[in-house]
Structure formats: C-alpha cells, structure tokens
Amino acid sequence: MKSPLEAPEKQIAEETSTKSAGRTDSSRRTAGEPEKPSASVIDTSRMSKGQREALELAEASRDPLDDRGSFASNLFIGRYDFGRIYPFPEQSAEDRAAGDPFLQKLETYLRDHVDPDEIDRTGEIPPENFAGLAEIGAFGIKVPKQYGGLGLSQSNYGRAAVLLGSWDGNVAALVSAHQSIGVAQPLLLFGTEEQKRKYLPRVAGGEISAFALTETHAGSDPATMSLRAEPTPDGSEFVLNGEKLWCTNGVKAGVLVVMARTPPKMVNGKERKQITAFIVDVATPGLEITYRCRFMGLRALYNAVVKFTDVRVPRENIISKEGAGLKVALTTLNTGRLTLPAACVGVSKRLLEISRKWAGERIQWGVPIGKHAAIAGKIAEMAGDVFAMEAMTFLTSSLLDRKSGDLRIETAMCKMWATEMTWRIADEAMQVRGGRGYETAASLAGRGEPPISVERFLRDCRVNMIFEGSSEIMRLFIAREALDPHLKVGGAIFNTQLPMSERVKAVFSSGKFYAGWYPRQWLPGSAGKIDNLHPNLAKHVNYAARASKRLARGLFHAMARFGPKLDREQLLLSRFVGVATELFAISATCSFAQWKIDHSDPPQADREQGGAARDEVLSLAEYFCRSACLRIEHHFADTNNNVDRRGYELTQELLAGKHESLRRGMV
Ligand SMILES: Cc1cc2nc3c(=O)[nH]c(=O)nc-3n(C[C@H](O)[C@H](O)[C@H](O)COP(=O)(O)OP(=O)(O)OC[C@H]3O[C@@H](n4cnc5c(N)ncnc54)[C@H](O)[C@@H]3O)c2cc1C
C-alpha cells in the first residue's frame, strides 16, 4: 500500500519525535524534570502581551500529538498513508444493530411530535418534547448503561445527529449542547467515578446540561477570561464571581460545566494563568440566569447570560484537576465537535432533496429548471458535497469508536469543512427555490403551497461556522498541529527565547532531518498498490498522494521564507489547511465509495443491477473528487499569487480611519 519512496513509519516517527530539538511536551517529562517554557518551540518574545498569554495558555493546555500522527496530520509532511483509512472502517453490524431501535424511535418521535416550523415561530420547544425526548433516551445517547444512558457509540450518536439535523436545528442544538459539550462528555473523558455516578444518571435522564466558557471579553481567546474562582481559606470550596455569555441550554439547565480562573501558578519564575473546569448545580445560591439571548436562527435556543455572585462550589466538583480547565475544554471539543458535521449531513441531505424535487418540478423557459446548466451545476455540487461530508464524518466517527489514535485534526477538518459546505448548500438551495426559498413556511402554507422552509434551515445553520471553534480558529488550530513536526525539528532555530547552544544544536539536528526528508518530497509519488480499489477512484487517491507531497514542500518553503513570522501569515496557512482538508475529503470519499460499491444492494456481483449501483456511486464520488481537485489547484495557485499583503495594509488603513468616502452616503 505504501510507496517504496516514502520513509518507513518508524523513521518518520523518530525523525519528528519529541526527542528532537525543541522538545517541550509536558506529558513526556519524567518525574522531577523541570517544566520548560510552555511554548519553547514557538518564539513568543516578539509578540504583544495579549498574544503571548493567549498562545502560552493554549500551548500549555495542548496535548502533544502522537508521534505517528493521524492520516490527516501526515498529509502535511507528505506522508500519504491511505491504508489507515482504507478499507473504509465500517460500523460493525453489531454496533449498527445496537443503535437501530433508538434511531427508529427518534425518527418516529421527530416526525410525529416535533413541529420545527412551530418551534421556530414561537421560539419555544414545548415541554412535552423535552419529556418525550428524555423518555426515548435522547439525552444520554453515549452515556454508558451503568450510568443510566443508552451506551451507544459515536457512530450511532452521529446517526442520531443526522436525523436531528435533517428535521429541526433547535432540537438538534438542545440535544447536542447537552451531551457533546455539556456535562456528559467532559465527565466521560475526565470525571472521577464519584462524579460520574452522581451526575451522569441525572443528565442521561433529561436534566439539561450546558457548557459555559464564553464571556463578553473572552470569545475565541479564553486567556482573557475573567470569571474567578477563589478557594476558601480551608481549600474545601471555591467561590465563583463573574458572568458567562451565550451559554446554550443555560435557560433550561440543571447543571453546568463552568470554566473559571483560579489563582495563577508560577512557572519558571513567571506567573501563568490557570483555568479550571467546575461542575456547578444551577440551584446553587448566587447563580442567576439574567438574560435569554435571541438570534437570527435557532430561535428556540435556550441560550443564557449566567451571573455568578459568591457561588460556592465544592472542590470535588473540579473536573480533572485545578488548572486543567482549558485542556478539559479543548479535549471535550476535540470529540464533541464531531456532532456538528453529523447534524450538517442531515441539514444538507434535506436541502439537497428539496432542491432536487423542485429542480425537476419547476418549469421555466419550457423545461424543468434542473435542465438549465446554471441550476444543474448547483445541484451536482450539493450532491457531491453531501456524499463527501457523510464519508468524512462517519469515517472519523468510526475511527473514534475504534480508538484509532489522535483524531483532533480529522474532527476539526470535519467541523470546519462540513459547516462551511452546509452554509453554501443552504445558500444554493435558496437560489434553486427562487422566491419560495426566501418565503417562510407559514406564508407558503397560507397561500396553499407546501410549507418548505429553506430560509429556516439557512438561518439555523449559519452559526455553525461560529460556535464550537469558529472557522478561522479551526484553521489556526489545524495549522498549529500541521506545523508541529516542523516546529519540533526546526522551531528551536528561530526561537530567541532559547539558549544559543540549544539553537545551534537544532540547526544540526534539523539539517540532518531535512537532508533526508526534503528531497523525498520531490520524488514522484503515488499511493502504491491498493487492493480492490476501482481504477476511477485509484486515480484520485494517487492524485491526493502526489498533492500531499506538494503540500509538504509548500509548507516547508513557507517556513523557510517566513521563519518564526509564519504564524502571522494566516491567509497563506489557511490555503495549506484548505488543501489538506480537501485531500482528506477526497481520500475519505474514495474509501467510502469503494465500501458502498462492495456493499451495494444488490451487490456488485449481480452484474446488471450491481453495475448500475456501482455507476451511481462512481458518478457521485468522481464528481466530488474533480471538484475538490479544482479547489486544491486554486489554493495552490493562490499561495504564489495573491493580494494578501495589500489587503492587510488596506484594512489597517480602514481601521486607522482612512477612506472616509466609503462612510459617506449612509443614513
Ligand atoms: C448561538 C450561539 C451559541 C453559543 N453557545 C455557546 C455555549 O454553549 N457555550 C459557550 O461557552 N459559548 C457559546 N457560544 C460562544 C461561541 O463559542 C463564540 O461566539 C465563539 O467562540 C466566537 O467568539 P466571539 O463570538 O466572541 O468572536 P470573537 O472571538 O470576538 O471573534 C470575532 C471574529 O474574529 C475571528 N478571530 C478571533 N480571533 C482570531 C485570531 N486569532 N485569528 C483570526 N481570526 C480570529 C473569529 O473567528 C471571528 O470571526 C455561542 C455563541 C452563539 C452565537
């Protein structure tokens, strides 16, 4: 499967391992070894105080990536290991069967008892829906049975999110915020047995939970968090004071996960901020829900401003340990944010179906609008994207279920790509439906047309690119992980905070590494021999293998050109992230397509009908891969030819108050 031209796994692991210069991973420190500066692979000396604090806190909370990396992380170092995702890691028949009864109940319940347009109109989810969803177990899907949940896998949870997304964004957000980021997920990852026994049965049974991280001045940058948790003199309790903003489910919640600042710690003579995660009962005296926020979409979101005045929380309610709050939040999100792409699969399937039907029914200029190339092009894009979104999301879910290593890059790519594609799909579906896309369901029904709510889906899905890590932050997060092998090997060279001896050592060790690695990135590459992959798919997989080397070279050239200032080149980095994400999408799509061909019903062996099923799968997968390939070429072209610098300068002029004419002529 692996090209003979590629370095063996062990070599890559050794060459990029933490043994190399600039090693900082705190988790690998031996007992008694002093803690090195948190971000010694990154030179923070020329950063502003705010930037440095944000970065140091993020670095201190970051778990090092496994040396073997993951399929997606390895794309950035030119290592294309299709064998890690092929054959498609299908959900086992047993696991599927375990989820089927619940999924059947959920589907029936949504269809019969949840009215999404009414929920959107009133801005309320009826109390009977809370009770009904609790009764079928929808609030404890992944919570193990011994704690009162259904004990289902990530894949089955993802299937539930598809159903929810395809029906109602408000209920999807309620259920997802409750268990993907609310109390269940961090407790499953970090909770003590006692905490699990106390809280999981409550939340699995339907007591709503929420996750409170954001504050007025702390959005993407948690280092600026101000909610304080001061220990009492005997240390048995913490007293919380401050305010949290935009806490989804806060209005209905019985229990919250709250991130708070605890007293700072001295690290290498410098004060380091500490963030700690607490489980907080909403009934605790001093905790108030002071405001319900309302939004463009998700109008029935129970989103709150939560005020804390001398709220006393026992020490045993700390999740993990004091100071580990950001790590708890980031790790929770690493898995938790996979629910959003699954819900996006549901939204996109619904919008594709609406568009497909309308494009066949609506006659204009003598033919159905789907016969006009401008509309046909939109629907083909939607179809390809839906197929790829499903492939990426369920591939990653399945790998998570198999505990196949560290998947933070895959989940971040799924979140970023699926939320952006879904927004594009919603926008195009509105265009396909024309005026009816913009009209509300109630208005359509009022004049006798089917109540199809494209505008509701469009309003509801927009926020997906903002919460649980905005698209910009996802790109930075992926870029940081992508640069990790290079930072470990060569980052120390540019780090003026390190002693000169260490920097000189890094020149030699990185020189040795790059002398072997760099020329390999120029050798022609392919994915090697892949058993039983249809030749039409193999073509795209081989393209991805070659493009991965091109990506690795491009990233290396950028590092050589910009050195420690590369982190400021956000637009350039975002193109590399864009290339890698599309390569992941192509690869997942091809693996998924082959699995579909092999499992088509009737199977491929049944010549005529099996052939038809195969051709359908190939048509979708090939369209997607070609389209993704064009986007990749576009990204590559833009790395060399862009207006980034000029655009940056223009914005600084605008921020400084210049170009006054642009502000004239408004009311
Ligand atoms: C409907 C809704 C529900 C929410 N639910 C929850 C919840 O349950 N719990 C919770 O804790 N929070 C929640 N949030 C908050 C959400 O997570 C934040 O909105 C998000 O983290 C972004 O923060 P911000 O809105 O303050 O934007 P800012 O951080 O102010 O960012 C503004 C813009 O600048 C960009 N940006 C910021 N920093 C950088 C950078 N370094 N480089 C490049 N670009 C940057 C951002 O991507 C964004 O586009 C919710 C928000 C909404 C709208």
Side-chain angles (χ1 to χ4, degrees), residues 80 82 380-381 383-385 387-388 391 417 536-544 582-593 617-633:
Y80 188 79
F82 194 52
E381 280 289 309
D385 292 346
F387 189 80
W417 194 91
N536 294 19
L537 300 173
K539 206 171 56 191
H540 297 295
V541 168
N542 282 323
Y543 165 81
E582 296 289 354
L583 291 177
F584 175 46
I586 289 176
S587 311
T589 295
C590 290
S591 179
F592 186 52
V617 171
L618 286 177
S619 162
L620 268 175
E622 285 204 80
Y623 178 84
F624 173 76
C625 292
R626 280 163 191 258
S627 182
C629 170
L630 290 177
R631 288 194 290 272
I632 289 172
E633 294 304 321

Side-chain angles (χ1 to χ4, degrees), residues 355-397:
S355 306
R356 183 191 73 84
K357 274 197 177 147
W358 187 243
E361 277 168 23
R362 175 73 170 166
I363 312 282
Q364 290 292 285
W365 300 69
V367 288
I369 55 169
K371 298 269 180 198
H372 297 303
I375 297 296
K378 295 182 196 302
I379 294 175
E381 280 289 309
M382 284 185 204
D385 292 346
V386 168
F387 189 80
M389 207 183 289
E390 196 167 0
M392 292 162 82
T393 305
F394 283 91
L395 180 133
T396 308
S397 304

Side-chain angles (χ1 to χ4, degrees), residues 181 211-214 218-221 245-248 295 301 303 463 466-473 476 570:
I181 56 174
F211 176 83
L213 172 66
T214 305
S220 307
D221 176 9
L245 178 64
W246 294 328
C247 177
T248 295
F295 303 97
L301 204 67
N303 186 287
V463 74
I466 296 173
F467 57 22
E468 293 188 24
S470 68
S471 283
E472 290 77 14
I473 297 301
L476 293 184
Q570 292 190 343

Side-chain angles (χ1 to χ4, degrees), residues 47-83:
M47 292 179 176
S48 70
K49 186 169 175 278
Q51 268 180 319
R52 189 174 62 248
E53 283 182 357
L55 189 102
E56 284 179 353
L57 188 63
E59 286 293 316
S61 308
R62 176 185 170 272
D63 259 336
L65 252 181
D66 183 303
D67 280 344
R68 281 189 67 218
S70 66
F71 174 80
S73 73
N74 285 340
L75 292 170
F76 291 99
I77 52 167
R79 177 153 180 259
Y80 188 79
D81 195 352
F82 194 52

Side-chain angles (χ1 to χ4, degrees), residues 5 15 26 65 125 170 256 308 327 395 432 472 531 540 544 568 585 620:
L5 298 172
E15 284 171 340
S26 56
L65 252 181
I125 300 173
N170 288 294
L256 312 175
F308 298 76
K327 187 177 265 188
L395 180 133
V432 170
E472 290 77 14
D531 294 333
H540 297 295
R568 289 185 215 163
L620 268 175

Side-chain angles (χ1 to χ4, degrees), residues 401-460:
D401 283 333
R402 291 163 189 230
K403 305 199 177 359
S404 306
D406 192 327
L407 296 161
R408 74 184 84 166
I409 295 197
E410 281 78 355
T411 57
M413 284 179 171
C414 285
K415 195 275 177 186
M416 180 189 83
W417 194 91
T419 56
E420 292 184 354
M421 285 303 181
T422 300
W423 171 246
R424 198 174 80 172
I425 288 170
D427 187 35
E428 294 291 39
M430 180 166 277
Q431 201 66 18
V432 170
R433 284 277 292 163
R436 286 166 181 81
Y438 194 65
E439 190 170 6
T440 64
S443 173
L444 285 162
R447 56 183 189 78
E449 289 209 28
I452 296 170
S453 13
V454 171
E455 61 86 33
R456 169 170 59 80
F457 279 106
L458 180 122
R459 282 187 283 111
D460 287 353

